[in-house]
Amino acid sequence: MAEQFDIRLDSLAGAADPLTERGLVISAAVPDENTFYIETFGCQMNAHDSEKVMGVLLGRGYRQVETIDAAKLVLYNTCSIREKAAQKVFSRLGAFRKGSGPEKIIGVLGCVAQQEGEEIFERSPWVRLVCGSASYSKLPDLISELEAGNRRVMGLDTDTDATFETEFTRRDNPFRAYLTIIEGCDKACSYCVVPHTRGPERSRASAAILVEVRRLADAGYSEIQLLGQTVNSYKDPSPRRMTFAELLVAVAAVPGIRRVRFTTSHPRDFGRDIVEAIDGVPEICNHVHLPVQSGSTRILREMLRTYTREEYLEKIAMIREARRSISITSDIIVGFPGETEEDLEDTLSLLDAVQYDGIFAFQYSPRPNTAAQHMPGAIPEEEKARRLARVIDHQREIQLARNESLVGKTFEALVDGESRRAGQWSGRCSSNRVLNFTSPRTDLLGEYVQVQVSRAGPNSLVGEHLI
Ligand code: SAM
Ligand code: SF4
């Protein structure tokens, strides 16, 4: 659920981590009380959880600082989706070994916290707060306990039906506001740790979501991204019983909202009503992230994905029948236990059949508390890397051809970045493509502009601002 249209080079994900490489040195300076530093790993939902954690702390009078040195409270919001992500946090924690500087309050939040629980205290006794991603509603109480001097506090429930509501959320992106509408996951994909770390599905009431969207629009946000591990499995718990497609339309109708995005959609719950909503409402972005994971029905069955290759392709056909051209992106896992060369060929041929506009591709990583962890037929790491490279190379060609077909066309871009070179800007189209462009204007951040595409690469478009 990070930014789309990158082919993630997962083989690079284990490359040296600059912080660990340098060796984190904690200086002798004593930080001010009520200061915090937070580092976030993983997906967009984690990034947004961190925004809410910041809101909770700022609301209690804490001040955010940019360095660990300057912070009294150091928080890591962790990810455990793949092993490398989970390992990172332990290398961070190692730097706070007793005697390595003035005592700080170290907290581990998120999926590693939920997964490892009390083990974290055993492995790193200097950690004082462990709060799992399914227990954030308890975070304010846990912080009160820390403030009262409790040595160790912990929140690890997953049987909660609460969602993480905050009075104030500190938002990092000035143009696009993220909004979680459903937490947890009730699916049971055999490779995935999320149902264990984030607990069961809990949806927010539609009225509360719409109140927040109106507040965001009043605060100047024009783009809303609705988030959920399976965002389209949304079930309005209020008597209104708004469907996900109705919610999309209602969010888009809020005055001031120009773009509505949503991620991640699960193929099983992806219905025609969502395509009709996109078709009928221009504010709903013409982009669907619909992870397939594998092109082989045999592997999909082993993954417990609940659809076959053919059923998935029917969903794609339904999206392609829309009047608007809708871009489609996906997640792919290679090297799942027992994956044969033929299964890999099925994935490559599915890329051809779908013609994705972007994918995230990953090497399978065995995770604790998952059904696939001990499945026979483990694929060696170097073979997984080879398969990943094949998928990435194949998809790069597809993306390049798709992007080249857009040369000469004009798209609206929301400008969200400025290059160091004068007159160079970066924005995103409704389809979520990155569009880098030149303009004589010098004040474009946050504006919606028309850009004509002049060149295309596999991961982005290049163009000129039409004035
Ligand atoms: N809920 C979303 C869905 O069903 O597609 C995705 C959630 S997950 C945070 C994002 C992606 O990580 C998944 O789509 C999958 O491709 C990948 N992933 C999850 N578990 C993995 C594992 N054990 N090894 C490698 N990749 C994994
Ligand atoms: Fe994980 Fe599957 Fe749930 Fe997505 S749908 S979060 S991959 S269990």
Side-chain angles (χ1 to χ4, degrees), residues 81 184-196 198 201 228-230 233 264-267 291 293 303-305 331 333:
I81 198 83
C185 179
D186 278 353
K187 310 279 189 292
C189 303
S190 61
Y191 52 81
C192 184
V193 78
V194 168
H196 176 72
R198 286 189 169 269
E201 266 175 29
Q229 291 297 341
T230 54
S233 309
T264 294
S265 295
H266 191 284
Q293 313 300 355
M303 288 177 163
L304 303 178
R305 280 297 282 183
D331 294 348
I333 295 176

PDB file of all heavy atoms in Angstrom, residues 81 184-196 198 201 228-230 233 264-267 291 293 303-305 331 333, ligand 2:
ATOM      1  N   ILE A  81       5.648  -7.763   7.918  1.00  0.00           N
ATOM      2  CA  ILE A  81       5.077  -8.458   6.759  1.00  0.00           C
ATOM      3  C   ILE A  81       6.099  -9.402   6.130  1.00  0.00           C
ATOM      4  O   ILE A  81       5.749 -10.484   5.683  1.00  0.00           O
ATOM      5  CB  ILE A  81       4.497  -7.444   5.730  1.00  0.00           C
ATOM      6  CG1 ILE A  81       3.536  -8.142   4.774  1.00  0.00           C
ATOM      7  CG2 ILE A  81       5.555  -6.684   4.973  1.00  0.00           C
ATOM      8  CD1 ILE A  81       2.164  -8.291   5.304  1.00  0.00           C
ATOM      9  N   GLY A 184      -7.743  -4.217  10.618  1.00  0.00           N
ATOM     10  CA  GLY A 184      -7.660  -5.667  10.739  1.00  0.00           C
ATOM     11  C   GLY A 184      -7.991  -6.385   9.441  1.00  0.00           C
ATOM     12  O   GLY A 184      -8.168  -5.757   8.390  1.00  0.00           O
ATOM     13  N   CYS A 185      -8.063  -7.711   9.524  1.00  0.00           N
ATOM     14  CA  CYS A 185      -8.374  -8.507   8.327  1.00  0.00           C
ATOM     15  C   CYS A 185      -8.992  -9.838   8.735  1.00  0.00           C
ATOM     16  O   CYS A 185      -8.472 -10.510   9.629  1.00  0.00           O
ATOM     17  CB  CYS A 185      -7.098  -8.753   7.522  1.00  0.00           C
ATOM     18  SG  CYS A 185      -7.420  -9.756   6.048  1.00  0.00           S
ATOM     19  N   ASP A 186     -10.096 -10.189   8.074  1.00  0.00           N
ATOM     20  CA  ASP A 186     -10.759 -11.469   8.353  1.00  0.00           C
ATOM     21  C   ASP A 186     -10.415 -12.540   7.329  1.00  0.00           C
ATOM     22  O   ASP A 186     -10.952 -13.643   7.387  1.00  0.00           O
ATOM     23  CB  ASP A 186     -12.287 -11.293   8.366  1.00  0.00           C
ATOM     24  CG  ASP A 186     -12.775 -10.759   9.703  1.00  0.00           C
ATOM     25  OD1 ASP A 186     -11.956 -10.663  10.633  1.00  0.00           O
ATOM     26  OD2 ASP A 186     -13.969 -10.417   9.805  1.00  0.00           O
ATOM     27  N   LYS A 187      -9.575 -12.229   6.338  1.00  0.00           N
ATOM     28  CA  LYS A 187      -9.156 -13.249   5.388  1.00  0.00           C
ATOM     29  C   LYS A 187      -8.073 -14.081   6.077  1.00  0.00           C
ATOM     30  O   LYS A 187      -7.650 -13.760   7.194  1.00  0.00           O
ATOM     31  CB  LYS A 187      -8.618 -12.607   4.106  1.00  0.00           C
ATOM     32  CG  LYS A 187      -9.547 -11.545   3.497  1.00  0.00           C
ATOM     33  CD  LYS A 187     -10.658 -12.168   2.686  1.00  0.00           C
ATOM     34  CE  LYS A 187     -11.464 -11.154   1.894  1.00  0.00           C
ATOM     35  NZ  LYS A 187     -12.295 -10.229   2.725  1.00  0.00           N
ATOM     36  N   ALA A 188      -7.621 -15.101   5.422  1.00  0.00           N
ATOM     37  CA  ALA A 188      -6.649 -15.971   6.088  1.00  0.00           C
ATOM     38  C   ALA A 188      -5.607 -16.452   5.087  1.00  0.00           C
ATOM     39  O   ALA A 188      -5.287 -17.634   5.044  1.00  0.00           O
ATOM     40  CB  ALA A 188      -7.383 -17.149   6.711  1.00  0.00           C
ATOM     41  N   CYS A 189      -5.069 -15.530   4.286  1.00  0.00           N
ATOM     42  CA  CYS A 189      -4.077 -15.921   3.284  1.00  0.00           C
ATOM     43  C   CYS A 189      -2.936 -16.653   4.003  1.00  0.00           C
ATOM     44  O   CYS A 189      -2.452 -16.177   5.037  1.00  0.00           O
ATOM     45  CB  CYS A 189      -3.562 -14.697   2.538  1.00  0.00           C
ATOM     46  SG  CYS A 189      -4.900 -13.784   1.763  1.00  0.00           S
ATOM     47  N   SER A 190      -2.534 -17.785   3.439  1.00  0.00           N
ATOM     48  CA  SER A 190      -1.678 -18.686   4.218  1.00  0.00           C
ATOM     49  C   SER A 190      -0.279 -18.127   4.457  1.00  0.00           C
ATOM     50  O   SER A 190       0.437 -18.613   5.312  1.00  0.00           O
ATOM     51  CB  SER A 190      -1.590 -20.046   3.518  1.00  0.00           C
ATOM     52  OG  SER A 190      -1.018 -19.886   2.233  1.00  0.00           O
ATOM     53  N   TYR A 191       0.120 -17.118   3.695  1.00  0.00           N
ATOM     54  CA  TYR A 191       1.472 -16.546   3.841  1.00  0.00           C
ATOM     55  C   TYR A 191       1.483 -15.331   4.762  1.00  0.00           C
ATOM     56  O   TYR A 191       2.539 -14.810   5.092  1.00  0.00           O
ATOM     57  CB  TYR A 191       2.003 -16.104   2.458  1.00  0.00           C
ATOM     58  CG  TYR A 191       1.031 -15.203   1.728  1.00  0.00           C
ATOM     59  CD1 TYR A 191       0.963 -13.845   2.015  1.00  0.00           C
ATOM     60  CD2 TYR A 191       0.130 -15.721   0.803  1.00  0.00           C
ATOM     61  CE1 TYR A 191       0.033 -13.027   1.400  1.00  0.00           C
ATOM     62  CE2 TYR A 191      -0.799 -14.913   0.175  1.00  0.00           C
ATOM     63  CZ  TYR A 191      -0.844 -13.570   0.481  1.00  0.00           C
ATOM     64  OH  TYR A 191      -1.772 -12.764  -0.105  1.00  0.00           O
ATOM     65  N   CYS A 192       0.316 -14.838   5.173  1.00  0.00           N
ATOM     66  CA  CYS A 192       0.245 -13.460   5.670  1.00  0.00           C
ATOM     67  C   CYS A 192       0.059 -13.365   7.183  1.00  0.00           C
ATOM     68  O   CYS A 192      -0.807 -14.008   7.778  1.00  0.00           O
ATOM     69  CB  CYS A 192      -0.889 -12.727   4.963  1.00  0.00           C
ATOM     70  SG  CYS A 192      -0.974 -10.998   5.445  1.00  0.00           S
ATOM     71  N   VAL A 193       0.827 -12.490   7.784  1.00  0.00           N
ATOM     72  CA  VAL A 193       0.845 -12.335   9.233  1.00  0.00           C
ATOM     73  C   VAL A 193      -0.195 -11.303   9.706  1.00  0.00           C
ATOM     74  O   VAL A 193      -0.477 -11.184  10.901  1.00  0.00           O
ATOM     75  CB  VAL A 193       2.302 -11.946   9.643  1.00  0.00           C
ATOM     76  CG1 VAL A 193       2.591 -10.474   9.364  1.00  0.00           C
ATOM     77  CG2 VAL A 193       2.625 -12.305  11.054  1.00  0.00           C
ATOM     78  N   VAL A 194      -0.784 -10.562   8.756  1.00  0.00           N
ATOM     79  CA  VAL A 194      -1.651  -9.430   9.123  1.00  0.00           C
ATOM     80  C   VAL A 194      -2.849  -9.823  10.003  1.00  0.00           C
ATOM     81  O   VAL A 194      -3.112  -9.144  11.006  1.00  0.00           O
ATOM     82  CB  VAL A 194      -2.106  -8.650   7.865  1.00  0.00           C
ATOM     83  CG1 VAL A 194      -3.227  -7.679   8.185  1.00  0.00           C
ATOM     84  CG2 VAL A 194      -0.922  -7.900   7.257  1.00  0.00           C
ATOM     85  N   PRO A 195      -3.583 -10.906   9.697  1.00  0.00           N
ATOM     86  CA  PRO A 195      -4.723 -11.218  10.575  1.00  0.00           C
ATOM     87  C   PRO A 195      -4.265 -11.435  12.020  1.00  0.00           C
ATOM     88  O   PRO A 195      -4.987 -11.107  12.963  1.00  0.00           O
ATOM     89  CB  PRO A 195      -5.289 -12.518   9.979  1.00  0.00           C
ATOM     90  CG  PRO A 195      -4.871 -12.473   8.541  1.00  0.00           C
ATOM     91  CD  PRO A 195      -3.518 -11.827   8.542  1.00  0.00           C
ATOM     92  N   HIS A 196      -3.034 -11.956  12.190  1.00  0.00           N
ATOM     93  CA  HIS A 196      -2.505 -12.168  13.535  1.00  0.00           C
ATOM     94  C   HIS A 196      -2.082 -10.844  14.177  1.00  0.00           C
ATOM     95  O   HIS A 196      -2.327 -10.615  15.357  1.00  0.00           O
ATOM     96  CB  HIS A 196      -1.314 -13.135  13.451  1.00  0.00           C
ATOM     97  CG  HIS A 196      -0.639 -13.349  14.756  1.00  0.00           C
ATOM     98  ND1 HIS A 196      -1.203 -14.082  15.784  1.00  0.00           N
ATOM     99  CD2 HIS A 196       0.548 -12.901  15.229  1.00  0.00           C
ATOM    100  CE1 HIS A 196      -0.388 -14.067  16.820  1.00  0.00           C
ATOM    101  NE2 HIS A 196       0.684 -13.358  16.505  1.00  0.00           N
ATOM    102  N   ARG A 198      -2.900  -7.608  13.214  1.00  0.00           N
ATOM    103  CA  ARG A 198      -3.844  -6.482  13.225  1.00  0.00           C
ATOM    104  C   ARG A 198      -5.238  -6.878  13.682  1.00  0.00           C
ATOM    105  O   ARG A 198      -6.133  -6.034  13.736  1.00  0.00           O
ATOM    106  CB  ARG A 198      -3.887  -5.804  11.859  1.00  0.00           C
ATOM    107  CG  ARG A 198      -2.636  -4.969  11.602  1.00  0.00           C
ATOM    108  CD  ARG A 198      -2.728  -4.127  10.374  1.00  0.00           C
ATOM    109  NE  ARG A 198      -1.651  -3.170  10.297  1.00  0.00           N
ATOM    110  CZ  ARG A 198      -1.695  -1.926  10.784  1.00  0.00           C
ATOM    111  NH1 ARG A 198      -2.784  -1.484  11.363  1.00  0.00           N
ATOM    112  NH2 ARG A 198      -0.668  -1.122  10.669  1.00  0.00           N
ATOM    113  N   GLU A 201     -11.415  -7.830  11.460  1.00  0.00           N
ATOM    114  CA  GLU A 201     -11.916  -6.630  10.766  1.00  0.00           C
ATOM    115  C   GLU A 201     -12.816  -5.795  11.674  1.00  0.00           C
ATOM    116  O   GLU A 201     -13.724  -6.331  12.311  1.00  0.00           O
ATOM    117  CB  GLU A 201     -12.768  -7.077   9.572  1.00  0.00           C
ATOM    118  CG  GLU A 201     -12.007  -7.161   8.282  1.00  0.00           C
ATOM    119  CD  GLU A 201     -12.863  -7.712   7.155  1.00  0.00           C
ATOM    120  OE1 GLU A 201     -14.104  -7.535   7.173  1.00  0.00           O
ATOM    121  OE2 GLU A 201     -12.270  -8.326   6.272  1.00  0.00           O
ATOM    122  N   GLY A 228      -7.442   0.521   4.126  1.00  0.00           N
ATOM    123  CA  GLY A 228      -7.809  -0.701   4.831  1.00  0.00           C
ATOM    124  C   GLY A 228      -7.011  -1.836   4.216  1.00  0.00           C
ATOM    125  O   GLY A 228      -6.688  -1.775   3.033  1.00  0.00           O
ATOM    126  N   GLN A 229      -6.671  -2.843   5.015  1.00  0.00           N
ATOM    127  CA  GLN A 229      -5.968  -4.008   4.430  1.00  0.00           C
ATOM    128  C   GLN A 229      -6.817  -4.612   3.327  1.00  0.00           C
ATOM    129  O   GLN A 229      -6.297  -5.076   2.317  1.00  0.00           O
ATOM    130  CB  GLN A 229      -5.680  -5.062   5.504  1.00  0.00           C
ATOM    131  CG  GLN A 229      -4.649  -4.653   6.527  1.00  0.00           C
ATOM    132  CD  GLN A 229      -3.281  -4.419   5.922  1.00  0.00           C
ATOM    133  OE1 GLN A 229      -2.986  -4.872   4.821  1.00  0.00           O
ATOM    134  NE2 GLN A 229      -2.445  -3.702   6.632  1.00  0.00           N
ATOM    135  N   THR A 230      -8.129  -4.630   3.543  1.00  0.00           N
ATOM    136  CA  THR A 230      -9.063  -5.037   2.490  1.00  0.00           C
ATOM    137  C   THR A 230     -10.155  -3.967   2.516  1.00  0.00           C
ATOM    138  O   THR A 230     -11.229  -4.168   3.074  1.00  0.00           O
ATOM    139  CB  THR A 230      -9.647  -6.434   2.779  1.00  0.00           C
ATOM    140  OG1 THR A 230     -10.201  -6.421   4.082  1.00  0.00           O
ATOM    141  CG2 THR A 230      -8.596  -7.510   2.703  1.00  0.00           C
ATOM    142  N   SER A 233     -13.783  -4.508   1.729  1.00  0.00           N
ATOM    143  CA  SER A 233     -14.582  -5.414   2.564  1.00  0.00           C
ATOM    144  C   SER A 233     -15.317  -4.593   3.627  1.00  0.00           C
ATOM    145  O   SER A 233     -15.914  -5.153   4.555  1.00  0.00           O
ATOM    146  CB  SER A 233     -13.686  -6.446   3.251  1.00  0.00           C
ATOM    147  OG  SER A 233     -12.854  -7.072   2.311  1.00  0.00           O
ATOM    148  N   THR A 264      -6.249  -1.163   0.178  1.00  0.00           N
ATOM    149  CA  THR A 264      -6.067  -2.128  -0.895  1.00  0.00           C
ATOM    150  C   THR A 264      -7.369  -2.889  -1.113  1.00  0.00           C
ATOM    151  O   THR A 264      -8.024  -3.235  -0.123  1.00  0.00           O
ATOM    152  CB  THR A 264      -4.960  -3.120  -0.503  1.00  0.00           C
ATOM    153  OG1 THR A 264      -3.729  -2.420  -0.418  1.00  0.00           O
ATOM    154  CG2 THR A 264      -4.801  -4.222  -1.504  1.00  0.00           C
ATOM    155  N   SER A 265      -7.700  -3.209  -2.346  1.00  0.00           N
ATOM    156  CA  SER A 265      -8.933  -3.955  -2.593  1.00  0.00           C
ATOM    157  C   SER A 265      -8.636  -5.451  -2.673  1.00  0.00           C
ATOM    158  O   SER A 265      -7.632  -5.864  -3.260  1.00  0.00           O
ATOM    159  CB  SER A 265      -9.557  -3.517  -3.914  1.00  0.00           C
ATOM    160  OG  SER A 265      -9.955  -2.165  -3.835  1.00  0.00           O
ATOM    161  N   HIS A 266      -9.523  -6.242  -2.082  1.00  0.00           N
ATOM    162  CA  HIS A 266      -9.390  -7.705  -2.214  1.00  0.00           C
ATOM    163  C   HIS A 266     -10.265  -8.166  -3.376  1.00  0.00           C
ATOM    164  O   HIS A 266     -11.434  -7.780  -3.451  1.00  0.00           O
ATOM    165  CB  HIS A 266      -9.817  -8.396  -0.923  1.00  0.00           C
ATOM    166  CG  HIS A 266      -9.458  -9.849  -0.918  1.00  0.00           C
ATOM    167  ND1 HIS A 266     -10.162 -10.790  -1.621  1.00  0.00           N
ATOM    168  CD2 HIS A 266      -8.419 -10.506  -0.334  1.00  0.00           C
ATOM    169  CE1 HIS A 266      -9.597 -11.983  -1.458  1.00  0.00           C
ATOM    170  NE2 HIS A 266      -8.541 -11.828  -0.674  1.00  0.00           N
ATOM    171  N   PRO A 267      -9.706  -8.989  -4.266  1.00  0.00           N
ATOM    172  CA  PRO A 267     -10.475  -9.386  -5.456  1.00  0.00           C
ATOM    173  C   PRO A 267     -11.836 -10.007  -5.122  1.00  0.00           C
ATOM    174  O   PRO A 267     -12.825  -9.755  -5.811  1.00  0.00           O
ATOM    175  CB  PRO A 267      -9.561 -10.403  -6.149  1.00  0.00           C
ATOM    176  CG  PRO A 267      -8.180 -10.008  -5.714  1.00  0.00           C
ATOM    177  CD  PRO A 267      -8.323  -9.486  -4.316  1.00  0.00           C
ATOM    178  N   PRO A 291      -4.467  -6.700  -5.729  1.00  0.00           N
ATOM    179  CA  PRO A 291      -3.393  -7.699  -5.686  1.00  0.00           C
ATOM    180  C   PRO A 291      -3.858  -9.090  -6.083  1.00  0.00           C
ATOM    181  O   PRO A 291      -4.882  -9.577  -5.607  1.00  0.00           O
ATOM    182  CB  PRO A 291      -2.967  -7.681  -4.212  1.00  0.00           C
ATOM    183  CG  PRO A 291      -3.340  -6.329  -3.727  1.00  0.00           C
ATOM    184  CD  PRO A 291      -4.626  -6.000  -4.443  1.00  0.00           C
ATOM    185  N   GLN A 293      -1.327 -11.775  -6.412  1.00  0.00           N
ATOM    186  CA  GLN A 293      -0.305 -12.599  -5.726  1.00  0.00           C
ATOM    187  C   GLN A 293       0.315 -13.665  -6.627  1.00  0.00           C
ATOM    188  O   GLN A 293       1.521 -13.837  -6.615  1.00  0.00           O
ATOM    189  CB  GLN A 293      -0.837 -13.261  -4.434  1.00  0.00           C
ATOM    190  CG  GLN A 293      -1.607 -12.352  -3.493  1.00  0.00           C
ATOM    191  CD  GLN A 293      -0.819 -11.160  -2.955  1.00  0.00           C
ATOM    192  OE1 GLN A 293       0.358 -11.028  -3.203  1.00  0.00           O
ATOM    193  NE2 GLN A 293      -1.496 -10.250  -2.244  1.00  0.00           N
ATOM    194  N   MET A 303      -2.384 -20.614  -1.331  1.00  0.00           N
ATOM    195  CA  MET A 303      -2.303 -19.325  -0.612  1.00  0.00           C
ATOM    196  C   MET A 303      -3.615 -18.999   0.105  1.00  0.00           C
ATOM    197  O   MET A 303      -3.681 -18.004   0.823  1.00  0.00           O
ATOM    198  CB  MET A 303      -2.008 -18.187  -1.594  1.00  0.00           C
ATOM    199  CG  MET A 303      -0.599 -18.157  -2.144  1.00  0.00           C
ATOM    200  SD  MET A 303      -0.477 -16.786  -3.340  1.00  0.00           S
ATOM    201  CE  MET A 303       1.306 -16.594  -3.461  1.00  0.00           C
ATOM    202  N   LEU A 304      -4.667 -19.772  -0.152  1.00  0.00           N
ATOM    203  CA  LEU A 304      -6.014 -19.529   0.396  1.00  0.00           C
ATOM    204  C   LEU A 304      -6.538 -18.146   0.002  1.00  0.00           C
ATOM    205  O   LEU A 304      -7.098 -17.405   0.819  1.00  0.00           O
ATOM    206  CB  LEU A 304      -6.035 -19.676   1.937  1.00  0.00           C
ATOM    207  CG  LEU A 304      -5.561 -21.011   2.502  1.00  0.00           C
ATOM    208  CD1 LEU A 304      -5.596 -20.994   4.023  1.00  0.00           C
ATOM    209  CD2 LEU A 304      -6.434 -22.155   1.981  1.00  0.00           C
ATOM    210  N   ARG A 305      -6.319 -17.792  -1.262  1.00  0.00           N
ATOM    211  CA  ARG A 305      -6.733 -16.459  -1.729  1.00  0.00           C
ATOM    212  C   ARG A 305      -8.234 -16.383  -2.065  1.00  0.00           C
ATOM    213  O   ARG A 305      -8.756 -15.333  -2.377  1.00  0.00           O
ATOM    214  CB  ARG A 305      -5.908 -16.045  -2.953  1.00  0.00           C
ATOM    215  CG  ARG A 305      -4.551 -15.509  -2.619  1.00  0.00           C
ATOM    216  CD  ARG A 305      -4.596 -14.240  -1.795  1.00  0.00           C
ATOM    217  NE  ARG A 305      -4.908 -13.055  -2.584  1.00  0.00           N
ATOM    218  CZ  ARG A 305      -4.941 -11.825  -2.089  1.00  0.00           C
ATOM    219  NH1 ARG A 305      -4.704 -11.612  -0.807  1.00  0.00           N
ATOM    220  NH2 ARG A 305      -5.234 -10.807  -2.843  1.00  0.00           N
ATOM    221  N   ASP A 331      -0.070  -6.690  -6.458  1.00  0.00           N
ATOM    222  CA  ASP A 331       1.053  -7.251  -5.698  1.00  0.00           C
ATOM    223  C   ASP A 331       1.261  -8.682  -6.177  1.00  0.00           C
ATOM    224  O   ASP A 331       0.287  -9.409  -6.425  1.00  0.00           O
ATOM    225  CB  ASP A 331       0.722  -7.325  -4.195  1.00  0.00           C
ATOM    226  CG  ASP A 331       0.566  -5.962  -3.538  1.00  0.00           C
ATOM    227  OD1 ASP A 331       0.936  -4.949  -4.165  1.00  0.00           O
ATOM    228  OD2 ASP A 331       0.059  -5.927  -2.401  1.00  0.00           O
ATOM    229  N   ILE A 333       3.660 -12.267  -5.366  1.00  0.00           N
ATOM    230  CA  ILE A 333       4.647 -12.986  -4.539  1.00  0.00           C
ATOM    231  C   ILE A 333       5.273 -14.080  -5.396  1.00  0.00           C
ATOM    232  O   ILE A 333       4.538 -14.847  -6.043  1.00  0.00           O
ATOM    233  CB  ILE A 333       3.981 -13.627  -3.299  1.00  0.00           C
ATOM    234  CG1 ILE A 333       3.428 -12.541  -2.364  1.00  0.00           C
ATOM    235  CG2 ILE A 333       4.977 -14.502  -2.552  1.00  0.00           C
ATOM    236  CD1 ILE A 333       2.664 -13.094  -1.156  1.00  0.00           C
TER     237      ILE A 333
HETATM  238 FE1  SF4 B   2      -2.975 -10.490   4.420  1.00  0.00          FE
HETATM  239 FE2  SF4 B   2      -4.656 -11.743   2.811  1.00  0.00          FE
HETATM  240 FE3  SF4 B   2      -5.597 -10.136   4.757  1.00  0.00          FE
HETATM  241 FE4  SF4 B   2      -4.358  -9.096   2.620  1.00  0.00          FE
HETATM  242  S1  SF4 B   2      -6.277 -10.258   2.613  1.00  0.00           S
HETATM  243  S2  SF4 B   2      -4.008  -8.578   4.775  1.00  0.00           S
HETATM  244  S3  SF4 B   2      -2.796 -10.599   2.177  1.00  0.00           S
HETATM  245  S4  SF4 B   2      -4.510 -12.046   5.018  1.00  0.00           S
END
